[in-house]
Amino acid sequence: MNYIKGTSREQIFLFNECIEEIIAEDNIVRFIDAYVESLDMEGLGFKMPKGNTGTPPYRPQLKLKIYIYGYFEKIRGSRRLEKECHRNKELIWLTNSLAPDFKTISDFRKDNHKAFRNIFKDF
């Protein structure tokens, strides 16, 4: 008897197509991306990284996109958000394949709690 066969685990690529093609035109992540990129982050009260020493930081916009996506998908914990950044194709698209660790995600929320209130009211 023949069965449906999956893709071999030894294949060298993850997707058969460009990640841009996997995300539908009307997907919420496209709106989140456009919305966050249009914001004046400093004007809303977000703390922007200063200095050029050490490893470059993640853009605050990237971390905000992760949080807004988590809000829509009912993913609240920073550890869950970190995990989703590695496996969720929508978040992979939204973050350009970057995946901040849970501490970075958590600290962003802690350091910008007042700005988060403003952004979620506006959003």
Side-chain angles (χ1 to χ4, degrees):
M1 176 183 269
N2 288 334
Y3 294 101
I4 297 173
K5 295 180 182 177
T7 306
S8 170
R9 291 187 179 117
E10 285 82 35
Q11 77 179 25
I12 342 182
F13 52 88
L14 179 61
F15 300 110
N16 293 339
E17 56 219 341
C18 169
I19 191 77
E20 182 68 27
E21 295 170 356
I22 293 173
I23 304 301
E25 290 295 321
D26 62 347
N27 194 305
I28 190 70
V29 294
R30 293 185 184 274
F31 174 73
I32 293 169
D33 184 58
Y35 174 73
V36 171
E37 290 301 326
S38 72
L39 294 175
D40 174 20
M41 298 291 283
E42 283 187 86
L44 288 167
F46 284 93
K47 295 179 182 171
M48 304 302 280
K50 305 281 190 252
N52 292 329
T53 59
T55 304
Y58 290 103
R59 292 177 65 223
Q61 290 89 339
L62 172 91
K63 295 179 274 188
L64 181 58
K65 289 175 189 180
I66 293 170
Y67 266 114
I68 292 175
Y69 180 82
Y71 180 80
F72 272 101
E73 295 297 321
K74 297 177 179 62
I75 304 169
R76 300 290 190 259
S78 57
R79 290 179 193 263
R80 276 282 314 281
L81 287 170
E82 176 190 12
K83 184 178 180 180
E84 292 298 314
C85 284
H86 288 284
R87 68 182 197 93
N88 183 313
K89 65 184 178 184
E90 292 174 337
L91 267 175
I92 290 171
W93 181 90
L94 190 60
T95 63
N96 294 326
S97 300
L98 295 174
D101 66 6
F102 75 92
K103 181 85 166 103
T104 301
I105 295 169
S106 177
D107 287 347
F108 179 70
R109 180 177 11 203
K110 180 182 71 173
D111 295 341
N112 296 290
H113 66 279
K114 290 179 184 174
F116 268 98
R117 275 186 260 153
N118 296 335
I119 200 72
F120 283 116
K121 284 178 193 174
D122 182 55
F123 192 72

